[in-house]
Amino acid sequence: MNYPTEACLVEVGPRDGLQNEATALSVKQKSTLVDYLSASGLSVIETGSFVSPRWVPQMANSADVFQTIQRKAGVRYSALAPNERGLQDAIAAQASEVAIFVAVTESFSQKNLNASIEQTFERYKPVLEVAAQHELPVRGYLSCVLGCPYEGNVDPAVVSALTQRLLEGGCYEVSLGDTIGTGTAGSTARLLDTILSGGVSAHQLAVHCHDTYGQALANIVVALQHGVATIDSSIAGLGGCPYAVGATGNVATEDVIYLLEGLGIQHGVQIPALLKASDYICTQLGRETQSRAGRALSLNR
Ligand code: HMG
Ligand code: MG
């Protein structure tokens, strides 16, 4: 079986993880987490979100978080931007890149963005234009690619068409979000086969697996076998989505690192430093890590 020689982890804990916490963490707590993560060797860190504070109050202090982090050379600090205002705020915060997000079903689009899929593409036109003027890379997310909490199964052809549309619109990469974690190795393979046979190449894709059904690592192995080498993950398995009730956190970064180690795939992350980041955030939240590998590795430290 062919695997990529190296993988890039996109750490989404400070955004996807913390957006779902009942209590919003302070600027200091968030920036300290981001600094622990960058110290571990992670090179892409989704640091915050410039969305409406009415919709996601947990992310309201993102501008201050961006101002407080100790930026490390070579690390990209990204932010979600759902509209032009979010983009302007991300530019002011000196985010290294932004991410826009589109749902693959109308129901999820309404719940997450208060707009139809078509309206979200309209909304993103100026975002993509202004980002290009500022030479700011834009990542695209698709939500519910392997199942929707409101509409159930999703047709891979629909996901494939939306992936192409985001790439043609100017996104450098599309992250395929299994928002509610219902995907399996089988459905992941069918989805990737469909997208890749449509002309998109594996290096334009990332996988973003929530681990609700415990299938994330299996799905990531399938993605790696398809040549997809960018993997979103969340320290200690933090997270969920406020508009997908019951969806748990993203696959834990520690679990993905352990998987990559076993496959001999380079990742650039130092495990002891990663465990410090995990210890820090779990202590702040008063909660145990959701990472099985993290727990085992900590016991053997
Ligand atoms: P809306 O209510 O239709 O829009 O929301 P609006 O223009 O009427 O704005 C509502 C209020 O928000 C107004 O304030 C605006 O000024 C303000 P008010 O007058 O009521 O005081 N506002 C903003 N404030 C700060 N920053 C902004 C901004 N925009 C408007 N950028 C909107 C539409 C898109 C704004 C809203 O639906 C929204 O913010 N949605 C974001 C939802 C979200 O963040 N979801 C979680 C992230 S996506 C995710 O987790 C999935 C992912 O992980 C992949 C996966 O797992 O699938 C990425
Ligand atoms: Mg997510």
Side-chain angles (χ1 to χ4, degrees):
M1 194 60 74
N2 274 339
Y3 285 95
T5 51
E6 58 186 286
C8 174
L9 265 72
V10 175
E11 170 61 48
V12 297
R15 193 281 303 173
D16 206 349
L18 299 183
Q19 77 180 8
N20 210 36
E21 285 301 320
T23 359
L25 294 191
S26 70
V27 170
K28 187 72 199 147
Q29 286 171 311
K30 289 182 179 181
S31 64
T32 304
L33 171 64
V34 172
D35 293 343
Y36 269 118
L37 292 166
S38 62
S40 78
L42 285 158
S43 60
V44 190
I45 304 174
E46 213 170 61
T47 302
S49 201
F50 295 102
V51 300
S52 167
R54 281 172 183 263
W55 286 65
V56 187
Q58 294 91 331
M59 290 287 111
N61 55 5
S62 290
D64 293 332
V65 175
F66 269 90
Q67 213 165 36
T68 311
I69 51 174
Q70 306 279 320
R71 292 184 196 238
K72 191 177 154 196
V75 175
R76 285 144 59 197
Y77 298 92
S78 65
L80 292 196
N83 53 22
E84 222 181 327
R85 167 155 177 206
L87 174 71
Q88 292 300 350
D89 289 349
I91 292 170
Q94 294 182 296
S96 328
E97 61 179 74
V98 291
I100 60 176
F101 44 109
V102 171
V104 306
T105 64
E106 290 298 343
S107 313
F108 199 80
S109 190
Q110 290 296 343
K111 295 277 182 197
N112 199 30
L113 287 149
N114 201 25
S116 68
I117 296 173
E118 218 40 57
Q119 285 166 334
T120 57
F121 273 101
E122 276 305 307
R123 208 183 254 169
Y124 289 137
K125 269 188 193 157
V127 174
L128 285 154
E129 261 171 43
V130 176
Q133 284 159 17
H134 285 78
E135 295 182 9
L136 198 64
V138 181
R139 178 180 220 229
Y141 274 109
L142 284 175
S143 288
C144 301
V145 300
L146 292 168
C148 169
Y150 311 104
E151 298 186 23
N153 288 341
V154 166
D155 181 357
V158 171
V159 182
S160 178
L162 291 170
T163 302
Q164 288 181 23
R165 204 165 158 191
L166 282 171
L167 292 170
E168 282 159 13
C171 293
Y172 73 88
E173 171 179 283
V174 173
S175 178
L176 300 166
D178 183 10
T179 315
I180 54 171
T182 48
T184 62
S187 61
T188 302
R190 283 190 290 280
L191 176 66
L192 291 174
D193 286 340
T194 306
I195 297 174
L196 295 171
S197 67
V200 168
S201 61
H203 76 263
Q204 295 173 296
L205 297 175
V207 283
H208 178 103
C209 302
H210 286 260
D211 204 20
T212 319
Y213 287 77
Q215 303 299 301
L217 284 181
N219 299 345
I220 289 168
V221 170
V222 169
L224 290 165
Q225 288 170 350
H226 280 74
V228 177
T230 303
I231 301 160
D232 297 1
S233 65
S234 174
I235 189 75
L238 299 175
C241 176
Y243 302 106
V245 177
T248 63
N250 301 88
V251 64
T253 306
E254 302 90 310
D255 291 355
V256 177
I257 293 294
Y258 189 76
L259 172 77
L260 296 175
E261 287 269 317
L263 288 167
I265 299 174
Q266 288 171 36
H267 50 72
V269 176
Q270 284 86 48
I271 293 173
L274 190 68
L275 295 178
K276 279 191 191 164
S278 177
D279 286 348
Y280 174 76
I281 195 58
C282 289
T283 304
Q284 298 307 305
L285 292 169
R287 140 136 38 106
E288 251 198 66
T289 178
Q290 296 301 303
S291 168
R292 303 269 287 271
R295 216 173 298 148
L297 289 164
S298 292
L299 288 174
N300 293 323
R301 259 190 288 196

Short mmCIF file of all heavy atoms in Angstrom, two decimals, residues 227-269:
data_model
loop_
_atom_site.label_atom_id
_atom_site.label_comp_id
_atom_site.label_asym_id
_atom_site.label_seq_id
_atom_site.Cartn_x
_atom_site.Cartn_y
_atom_site.Cartn_z
N GLY A 227 -3.78 9.17 -0.81
CA GLY A 227 -2.81 10.24 -1.07
C GLY A 227 -3.12 11.55 -0.39
O GLY A 227 -2.41 12.53 -0.57
N VAL A 228 -4.18 11.58 0.42
CA VAL A 228 -4.52 12.82 1.15
C VAL A 228 -3.61 12.90 2.37
O VAL A 228 -3.62 12.01 3.23
CB VAL A 228 -6.01 12.83 1.57
CG1 VAL A 228 -6.33 14.09 2.38
CG2 VAL A 228 -6.91 12.74 0.34
N ALA A 229 -2.80 13.96 2.44
CA ALA A 229 -1.76 14.03 3.46
C ALA A 229 -1.96 15.21 4.41
O ALA A 229 -1.08 15.52 5.21
CB ALA A 229 -0.39 14.11 2.80
N THR A 230 -3.10 15.88 4.32
CA THR A 230 -3.39 16.96 5.26
C THR A 230 -4.55 16.53 6.14
O THR A 230 -5.62 16.15 5.64
CB THR A 230 -3.72 18.27 4.52
OG1 THR A 230 -2.61 18.59 3.67
CG2 THR A 230 -3.94 19.42 5.49
N ILE A 231 -4.29 16.54 7.44
CA ILE A 231 -5.26 15.98 8.39
C ILE A 231 -5.57 16.99 9.47
O ILE A 231 -4.66 17.49 10.14
CB ILE A 231 -4.67 14.69 9.03
CG1 ILE A 231 -4.35 13.67 7.94
CG2 ILE A 231 -5.62 14.11 10.06
CD1 ILE A 231 -3.36 12.61 8.38
N ASP A 232 -6.85 17.30 9.64
CA ASP A 232 -7.26 18.19 10.72
C ASP A 232 -7.41 17.36 11.99
O ASP A 232 -7.93 16.23 11.95
CB ASP A 232 -8.62 18.84 10.41
CG ASP A 232 -8.59 19.72 9.16
OD1 ASP A 232 -7.53 19.82 8.52
OD2 ASP A 232 -9.66 20.29 8.85
N SER A 233 -6.99 17.93 13.10
CA SER A 233 -7.14 17.21 14.36
C SER A 233 -7.16 18.23 15.49
O SER A 233 -6.84 19.40 15.30
CB SER A 233 -5.97 16.24 14.55
OG SER A 233 -4.77 16.98 14.70
N SER A 234 -7.53 17.73 16.66
CA SER A 234 -7.74 18.64 17.78
C SER A 234 -7.07 18.08 19.03
O SER A 234 -7.28 16.90 19.37
CB SER A 234 -9.25 18.76 17.96
OG SER A 234 -9.57 19.48 19.07
N ILE A 235 -6.27 18.91 19.66
CA ILE A 235 -5.54 18.46 20.85
C ILE A 235 -6.52 17.90 21.89
O ILE A 235 -7.58 18.50 22.14
CB ILE A 235 -4.70 19.63 21.45
CG1 ILE A 235 -3.78 19.14 22.55
CG2 ILE A 235 -5.56 20.78 21.95
CD1 ILE A 235 -2.58 18.39 22.07
N ALA A 236 -6.19 16.75 22.42
CA ALA A 236 -7.00 16.08 23.45
C ALA A 236 -8.40 15.70 22.95
O ALA A 236 -9.27 15.34 23.74
CB ALA A 236 -7.10 16.95 24.72
N GLY A 237 -8.61 15.82 21.63
CA GLY A 237 -9.92 15.46 21.07
C GLY A 237 -11.01 16.45 21.42
O GLY A 237 -12.20 16.12 21.39
N LEU A 238 -10.60 17.70 21.72
CA LEU A 238 -11.59 18.73 22.06
C LEU A 238 -12.55 18.94 20.92
O LEU A 238 -12.18 18.80 19.76
CB LEU A 238 -10.89 20.08 22.26
CG LEU A 238 -9.85 20.25 23.34
CD1 LEU A 238 -9.26 21.65 23.21
CD2 LEU A 238 -10.48 20.06 24.70
N GLY A 239 -13.75 19.37 21.23
CA GLY A 239 -14.58 19.94 20.18
C GLY A 239 -15.89 19.28 19.86
O GLY A 239 -16.34 18.35 20.51
N GLY A 240 -16.47 19.82 18.80
CA GLY A 240 -17.79 19.43 18.34
C GLY A 240 -18.29 20.52 17.43
O GLY A 240 -17.48 21.28 16.89
N CYS A 241 -19.56 20.64 17.25
CA CYS A 241 -20.08 21.75 16.46
C CYS A 241 -21.38 22.19 17.11
O CYS A 241 -22.26 21.35 17.37
CB CYS A 241 -20.32 21.34 15.01
SG CYS A 241 -21.07 22.65 14.04
N PRO A 242 -21.54 23.48 17.40
CA PRO A 242 -22.75 23.94 18.08
C PRO A 242 -24.03 23.62 17.30
O PRO A 242 -25.10 23.58 17.88
CB PRO A 242 -22.55 25.45 18.21
CG PRO A 242 -21.18 25.77 17.74
CD PRO A 242 -20.59 24.56 17.09
N TYR A 243 -23.91 23.42 15.99
CA TYR A 243 -25.12 23.17 15.17
C TYR A 243 -25.26 21.71 14.75
O TYR A 243 -25.97 21.39 13.82
CB TYR A 243 -25.13 24.12 13.96
CG TYR A 243 -25.08 25.53 14.46
CD1 TYR A 243 -23.93 26.28 14.35
CD2 TYR A 243 -26.19 26.08 15.12
CE1 TYR A 243 -23.87 27.56 14.88
CE2 TYR A 243 -26.13 27.35 15.66
CZ TYR A 243 -24.97 28.09 15.54
OH TYR A 243 -24.91 29.33 16.08
N ALA A 244 -24.54 20.82 15.44
CA ALA A 244 -24.68 19.39 15.18
C ALA A 244 -24.73 18.70 16.53
O ALA A 244 -23.73 18.23 17.05
CB ALA A 244 -23.51 18.89 14.34
N VAL A 245 -25.93 18.68 17.11
CA VAL A 245 -26.10 18.18 18.47
C VAL A 245 -25.59 16.73 18.57
O VAL A 245 -25.90 15.89 17.72
CB VAL A 245 -27.60 18.23 18.86
CG1 VAL A 245 -27.83 17.62 20.24
CG2 VAL A 245 -28.10 19.67 18.81
N GLY A 246 -24.79 16.47 19.60
CA GLY A 246 -24.29 15.12 19.82
C GLY A 246 -22.97 14.84 19.12
O GLY A 246 -22.31 13.84 19.43
N ALA A 247 -22.58 15.68 18.18
CA ALA A 247 -21.30 15.45 17.50
C ALA A 247 -20.18 15.71 18.51
O ALA A 247 -20.19 16.71 19.21
CB ALA A 247 -21.15 16.37 16.30
N THR A 248 -19.24 14.76 18.60
CA THR A 248 -18.15 14.95 19.55
C THR A 248 -17.00 15.67 18.87
O THR A 248 -17.12 16.12 17.73
CB THR A 248 -17.64 13.59 20.07
OG1 THR A 248 -17.13 12.87 18.96
CG2 THR A 248 -18.74 12.80 20.74
N GLY A 249 -15.89 15.71 19.59
CA GLY A 249 -14.74 16.45 19.10
C GLY A 249 -14.11 15.83 17.86
O GLY A 249 -14.47 14.75 17.41
N ASN A 250 -13.14 16.57 17.35
CA ASN A 250 -12.35 16.07 16.23
C ASN A 250 -11.49 14.93 16.72
O ASN A 250 -11.24 14.77 17.91
CB ASN A 250 -11.41 17.17 15.73
CG ASN A 250 -12.15 18.39 15.29
OD1 ASN A 250 -12.43 19.27 16.09
ND2 ASN A 250 -12.49 18.44 14.03
N VAL A 251 -10.98 14.17 15.79
CA VAL A 251 -9.99 13.15 16.12
C VAL A 251 -8.87 13.85 16.90
O VAL A 251 -8.50 15.00 16.60
CB VAL A 251 -9.45 12.49 14.83
CG1 VAL A 251 -8.70 13.46 13.94
CG2 VAL A 251 -8.57 11.29 15.15
N ALA A 252 -8.35 13.16 17.92
CA ALA A 252 -7.32 13.79 18.75
C ALA A 252 -5.99 13.85 18.01
O ALA A 252 -5.58 12.88 17.35
CB ALA A 252 -7.16 12.99 20.04
N THR A 253 -5.31 14.97 18.16
CA THR A 253 -4.00 15.14 17.52
C THR A 253 -3.03 14.04 17.97
O THR A 253 -2.29 13.48 17.16
CB THR A 253 -3.44 16.53 17.88
OG1 THR A 253 -4.43 17.50 17.54
CG2 THR A 253 -2.14 16.83 17.16
N GLU A 254 -3.05 13.72 19.27
CA GLU A 254 -2.14 12.70 19.79
C GLU A 254 -2.39 11.35 19.11
O GLU A 254 -1.45 10.60 18.82
CB GLU A 254 -2.35 12.53 21.31
CG GLU A 254 -2.15 13.79 22.13
CD GLU A 254 -3.45 14.60 22.31
OE1 GLU A 254 -4.15 14.86 21.31
OE2 GLU A 254 -3.75 14.95 23.45
N ASP A 255 -3.67 11.02 18.85
CA ASP A 255 -3.99 9.74 18.21
C ASP A 255 -3.47 9.72 16.77
O ASP A 255 -2.95 8.71 16.30
CB ASP A 255 -5.51 9.51 18.20
CG ASP A 255 -6.08 9.25 19.60
OD1 ASP A 255 -5.29 9.15 20.55
OD2 ASP A 255 -7.31 9.15 19.72
N VAL A 256 -3.61 10.85 16.08
CA VAL A 256 -3.14 10.91 14.69
C VAL A 256 -1.62 10.79 14.65
O VAL A 256 -1.06 10.06 13.81
CB VAL A 256 -3.60 12.21 13.99
CG1 VAL A 256 -3.05 12.29 12.58
CG2 VAL A 256 -5.12 12.29 13.96
N ILE A 257 -0.95 11.46 15.57
CA ILE A 257 0.52 11.40 15.60
C ILE A 257 0.97 9.95 15.84
O ILE A 257 1.89 9.44 15.19
CB ILE A 257 1.10 12.34 16.70
CG1 ILE A 257 0.83 13.79 16.33
CG2 ILE A 257 2.58 12.09 16.93
CD1 ILE A 257 1.54 14.29 15.10
N TYR A 258 0.31 9.28 16.75
CA TYR A 258 0.67 7.88 17.04
C TYR A 258 0.46 7.01 15.80
O TYR A 258 1.29 6.16 15.47
CB TYR A 258 -0.17 7.37 18.23
CG TYR A 258 0.29 6.02 18.74
CD1 TYR A 258 1.44 5.90 19.51
CD2 TYR A 258 -0.43 4.87 18.41
CE1 TYR A 258 1.87 4.65 19.96
CE2 TYR A 258 0.00 3.61 18.86
CZ TYR A 258 1.15 3.52 19.63
OH TYR A 258 1.59 2.29 20.06
N LEU A 259 -0.63 7.26 15.09
CA LEU A 259 -0.90 6.52 13.84
C LEU A 259 0.21 6.78 12.81
O LEU A 259 0.74 5.84 12.20
CB LEU A 259 -2.25 6.98 13.27
CG LEU A 259 -2.60 6.47 11.87
CD1 LEU A 259 -3.06 5.01 11.94
CD2 LEU A 259 -3.70 7.31 11.23
N LEU A 260 0.56 8.05 12.65
CA LEU A 260 1.57 8.41 11.64
C LEU A 260 2.93 7.80 12.00
O LEU A 260 3.66 7.31 11.13
CB LEU A 260 1.69 9.93 11.51
CG LEU A 260 0.44 10.66 10.99
CD1 LEU A 260 0.64 12.17 11.03
CD2 LEU A 260 0.08 10.22 9.57
N GLU A 261 3.25 7.82 13.30
CA GLU A 261 4.51 7.20 13.75
C GLU A 261 4.55 5.74 13.31
O GLU A 261 5.53 5.27 12.77
CB GLU A 261 4.60 7.25 15.28
CG GLU A 261 4.87 8.62 15.83
CD GLU A 261 6.35 8.90 15.99
OE1 GLU A 261 7.07 8.00 16.46
OE2 GLU A 261 6.79 10.01 15.63
N GLY A 262 3.46 5.05 13.52
CA GLY A 262 3.40 3.62 13.19
C GLY A 262 3.52 3.36 11.71
O GLY A 262 4.02 2.31 11.29
N LEU A 263 3.07 4.31 10.91
CA LEU A 263 3.15 4.15 9.45
C LEU A 263 4.47 4.69 8.89
O LEU A 263 4.70 4.62 7.68
CB LEU A 263 1.97 4.86 8.78
CG LEU A 263 0.60 4.21 8.96
CD1 LEU A 263 -0.52 5.17 8.52
CD2 LEU A 263 0.51 2.90 8.17
N GLY A 264 5.29 5.27 9.77
CA GLY A 264 6.56 5.83 9.32
C GLY A 264 6.37 7.08 8.47
O GLY A 264 7.18 7.39 7.60
N ILE A 265 5.29 7.80 8.71
CA ILE A 265 5.02 9.05 7.97
C ILE A 265 5.52 10.22 8.81
O ILE A 265 5.14 10.36 9.99
CB ILE A 265 3.50 9.18 7.67
CG1 ILE A 265 3.03 8.00 6.81
CG2 ILE A 265 3.19 10.51 7.00
CD1 ILE A 265 1.52 7.95 6.58
N GLN A 266 6.34 11.07 8.20
CA GLN A 266 6.90 12.21 8.95
C GLN A 266 5.80 13.23 9.27
O GLN A 266 4.91 13.46 8.46
CB GLN A 266 7.96 12.91 8.12
CG GLN A 266 9.24 12.11 7.99
CD GLN A 266 10.17 12.75 6.98
OE1 GLN A 266 10.24 13.97 6.87
NE2 GLN A 266 10.85 11.91 6.22
N HIS A 267 5.94 13.85 10.48
CA HIS A 267 4.91 14.82 10.87
C HIS A 267 5.47 16.05 11.56
O HIS A 267 4.77 17.05 11.72
CB HIS A 267 3.87 14.14 11.77
CG HIS A 267 4.50 13.37 12.90
ND1 HIS A 267 5.08 13.99 13.96
CD2 HIS A 267 4.66 12.04 13.11
CE1 HIS A 267 5.57 13.07 14.80
NE2 HIS A 267 5.34 11.87 14.30
N GLY A 268 6.72 15.98 12.02
CA GLY A 268 7.37 17.16 12.59
C GLY A 268 6.92 17.57 13.99
O GLY A 268 7.24 18.67 14.45
N VAL A 269 6.19 16.69 14.65
CA VAL A 269 5.66 17.06 15.98
C VAL A 269 6.42 16.29 17.07
O VAL A 269 6.68 15.09 16.93
CB VAL A 269 4.15 16.73 16.07
CG1 VAL A 269 3.60 17.00 17.47
CG2 VAL A 269 3.38 17.55 15.03
#
